[in-house]
């Protein structure tokens, strides 16, 4: 088993004061005593995370004896967590050491910039399309097929009569039927998306090391965590609904529109903040084989101090994928409405929304859009998780060892570049 994310699992993180579950390399020959320097709140920018050359003596931390040229790994848990066996220099891991970062896979092993994260996601989709494309295509076909059949045979039979003569029972029954079918459609989409996310997480974690993945291998590595991933997603959804309900309840009880607007803004801000704080829980759950509480805790710690950066990258990714999906789905929807749905008026009035031609063209657009955007979103989330662990926990040491890079941190020699 490879000792890297997605296989033997990193297990507990350095920030939690526990060692990795995988096989550990030999400890350095000597370690200075004391608690050692703490991580800095300011992390080094991309392009400045590299190892000292062989034989070089790095600067010692304040209050610590000089460190000699050692090899191996620094220990975890904040006790002399270092880089290539050296104590962490002042300013955070990797600060003060300059040089070229190695790149065994789709990203260099150092803190990443926005462009490198997006490029890594696209590079994985391009280089490993034989594994990525069938997964996302199969999920997109199932999701869109369910949506088309629901709209044709279920929603088409439900009529919401808004006239004054309509009875209250008829309206309630129609609304209940619509809500039930909508929930069923959302459940199918949720299950498909979770399966794709779980398998794509494993593919992207291997792509970081330059290793190829198979569909069967990704399924075997991810299936044991699928129930927990489903529970995690369900908890996030239920928690969001409860939080919104609690903040809007005073306005509903008081019948105040102004209080409702205030509660809505408060709910939006709090939900957004918590959503970003827990945005890395999914890759932590899958790659560390963590429990639900551990996954939430890991995400909270990794996002701490980087909320705005992760929010910006996540927002930009959703903006890009939304735009890409829009330019694919909207033209096919308008074409279907023009040819089969009575034009724009028929689409607006809903008279042509159940025609086979419109539904099929819209479904084809949805399949293409999901096939492209789903791996992009999953890839950015996984690479954000890897980036944060490199910045905070020197995960590049473990990744370099798993990628077969010799003497990483002391003038490393990279293996042939993979993809």
């Amino acid at each position: 088993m490879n000792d890297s994310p997605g296989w033997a699992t990193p297990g507990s993180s350095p920030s939690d004061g526990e060692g990795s579950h995988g096989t550990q390399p030999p400890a350095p020959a000597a370690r200075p005593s004391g608690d050692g320097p703490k991580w800095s709140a300011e992390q080094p920018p991309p392009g400045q995370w590299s190892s000292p050359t062989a034989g070089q003596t790095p600067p010692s931390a304040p209050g610590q004896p000089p460190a000699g040229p050692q090899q191996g790994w620094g220990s975890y848990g904040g006790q002399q967590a270092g880089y290539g066996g050296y104590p962490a220099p002042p300013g955070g891991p990797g600060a003060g050491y300059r040089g070229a970062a190695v790149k065994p896979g789709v990203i260099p092993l150092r803190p990443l910039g926005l462009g490198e994260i997006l490029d890594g996601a696209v590079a994985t989709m391009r280089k490993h399309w034989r594994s990525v494309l069938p997964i996302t295509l199969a999920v997109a076909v199932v999701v869109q097929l369910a949506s088309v059949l629901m709209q044709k045979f279920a929603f088409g039979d439900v009529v919401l009569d808004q006239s004054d003569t309509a009875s209250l029972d008829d309206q309630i029954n129609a609304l209940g039927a619509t809500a039930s079918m909508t929930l069923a459609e959302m459940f199918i989409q949720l299950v498909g998306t979770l399966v794709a996310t779980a398998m794509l997480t494993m593919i992207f974690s291997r792509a970081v090391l330059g290793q190829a993945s198979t569909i069967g291998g990704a399924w075997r590595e991810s299936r044991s965590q699928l129930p927990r991933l489903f529970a995690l997603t369900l908890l996030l959804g239920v928690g969001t609904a409860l939080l919104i309900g609690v903040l809007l309840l005073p306005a509903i009880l008081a019948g105040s529109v102004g209080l409702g607007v205030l509660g809505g803004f408060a709910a939006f801000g709090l939900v957004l903040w918590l959503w970003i704080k827990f945005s890395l829980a999914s890759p932590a759950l899958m790659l560390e084989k963590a429990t639900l509480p551990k996954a939430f805790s890991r995400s909270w710690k990794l996002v701490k101090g980087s909320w705005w950066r992760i929010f910006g990258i996540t927002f930009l990714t959703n903006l890009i994928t939304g735009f890409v999906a829009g330019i694919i789905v909207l033209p096919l929807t308008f074409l279907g409405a023009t040819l089969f749905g009575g034009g724009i008026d028929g689409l607006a009035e809903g008279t042509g929304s159940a025609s086979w031609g419109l539904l099929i063209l819209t479904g084809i657009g949805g399949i293409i859009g999901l096939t492209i955007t789903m791996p992009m979103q999953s890839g950015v989330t996984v690479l954000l998780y890897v980036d944060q662990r490199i910045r905070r926990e020197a995960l590049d040491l473990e990744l370099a060892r798993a990628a077969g890079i010799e003497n990483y941190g002391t003038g490393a020699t990279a293996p042939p570049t993979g993809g």
Side-chain angles (χ1 to χ4, degrees):
M1 297 287 285
N2 292 320
D3 209 3
S4 52
W7 302 281
T9 82
S12 56
S13 68
S15 64
D16 297 328
E18 302 173 2
S20 172
H21 289 292
T23 302
Q24 293 295 328
R31 297 184 187 278
S33 59
D35 293 336
K38 303 298 182 182
W39 296 124
S40 170
E42 297 181 359
Q43 299 298 328
Q48 298 182 5
W49 182 280
S50 56
S51 61
T53 57
Q56 176 183 354
T57 301
S60 59
Q64 302 293 338
Q70 304 170 12
Q71 298 203 10
W73 287 24
S75 63
Y76 285 163
Q79 299 290 326
Q80 292 302 113
Y83 193 80
Y86 297 120
Y97 302 153
R98 297 177 181 273
V102 295
K103 185 179 180 182
V106 295
I107 59 170
L109 299 185
R110 56 167 170 75
L112 305 174
L114 168 62
E116 290 170 323
I117 291 176
L118 296 176
D119 180 69
V122 174
T124 303
M125 294 166 59
R126 186 179 68 251
K127 295 179 180 179
H128 303 282
W129 64 269
R130 290 180 178 85
S131 299
V132 173
L133 182 61
I135 294 173
T136 56
L137 181 60
V139 170
V141 168
V142 171
V143 168
Q144 291 301 314
L145 181 61
S147 177
V148 167
L149 294 177
M150 283 280 188
Q151 293 182 57
K152 179 62 180 179
F153 296 108
F155 287 105
D157 295 335
V158 177
V159 178
L160 294 176
D161 190 351
Q162 300 178 355
S163 63
D164 297 334
T165 59
S167 66
L168 180 61
D169 290 340
D170 291 339
Q171 293 181 2
I172 292 176
N173 291 335
L175 288 173
T178 302
S180 299
M181 290 181 290
T182 301
L183 289 175
E185 183 179 352
M186 291 175 60
F187 179 78
I188 295 173
Q189 293 178 353
L190 174 64
V191 173
T193 302
L194 288 178
V195 172
T197 299
M199 297 177 68
L200 290 173
T201 298
M202 300 306 173
I203 293 174
F204 275 92
S205 67
R206 283 188 177 271
V208 170
L209 306 176
Q211 299 175 358
S213 300
T214 62
I215 297 175
W219 169 248
R220 287 191 297 272
E221 292 167 356
S222 61
R223 63 185 177 185
S224 63
Q225 289 294 96
L226 272 175
R228 288 180 176 177
L229 182 61
F230 181 84
L232 183 145
T233 306
L234 187 63
L235 281 175
L236 287 174
V238 172
T240 299
L242 289 177
L243 183 60
I244 294 175
V246 168
L247 292 176
L248 292 181
L249 184 60
I252 296 175
L253 295 177
S256 171
V257 176
L259 193 59
V261 172
L262 183 61
F265 276 112
F268 175 79
L270 188 55
V271 166
L272 178 61
W273 181 73
L274 289 173
W275 198 264
I276 297 299
K277 291 291 288 186
F278 295 131
S279 62
L280 302 184
S282 173
L285 181 84
M286 297 302 301
L287 298 180
E288 300 182 25
K289 307 299 182 186
T291 60
L292 288 179
K294 185 69 172 180
F296 283 117
S297 173
R298 293 287 292 125
S299 179
W300 187 281
K301 291 179 180 180
L302 290 173
V303 174
K304 184 178 180 180
S306 302
W307 191 94
W308 282 106
R309 177 175 178 274
I310 294 175
F311 165 74
I313 294 175
T314 303
F315 175 78
L316 182 60
T317 302
N318 290 332
L319 192 64
I320 293 173
T321 54
F323 177 78
V324 171
I327 63 176
I328 295 173
V329 175
L330 289 179
L332 290 175
T333 300
F334 285 129
L335 178 62
T338 301
L339 298 178
F340 308 104
I344 303 300
D345 294 336
L347 187 64
E349 296 173 0
T351 56
S353 59
S355 66
W356 275 115
L358 174 59
L359 292 176
I360 290 174
L361 283 178
T362 304
I364 291 174
I367 290 173
I368 298 173
L370 278 177
T371 302
I372 295 174
T373 59
M374 194 184 304
M376 184 70 178
Q377 292 175 325
S378 298
V380 168
T381 302
V382 172
L383 295 181
L384 271 173
Y385 163 83
V386 173
D387 173 58
Q388 287 301 110
R389 286 202 63 187
I390 289 177
R391 290 172 180 268
R392 294 180 177 274
E393 303 169 354
L395 180 66
D396 54 318
L397 296 173
E398 186 173 346
L399 295 176
R401 179 165 65 99
I405 300 174
E406 299 178 358
N407 302 321
Y408 183 74
T410 57
T413 301
T417 301

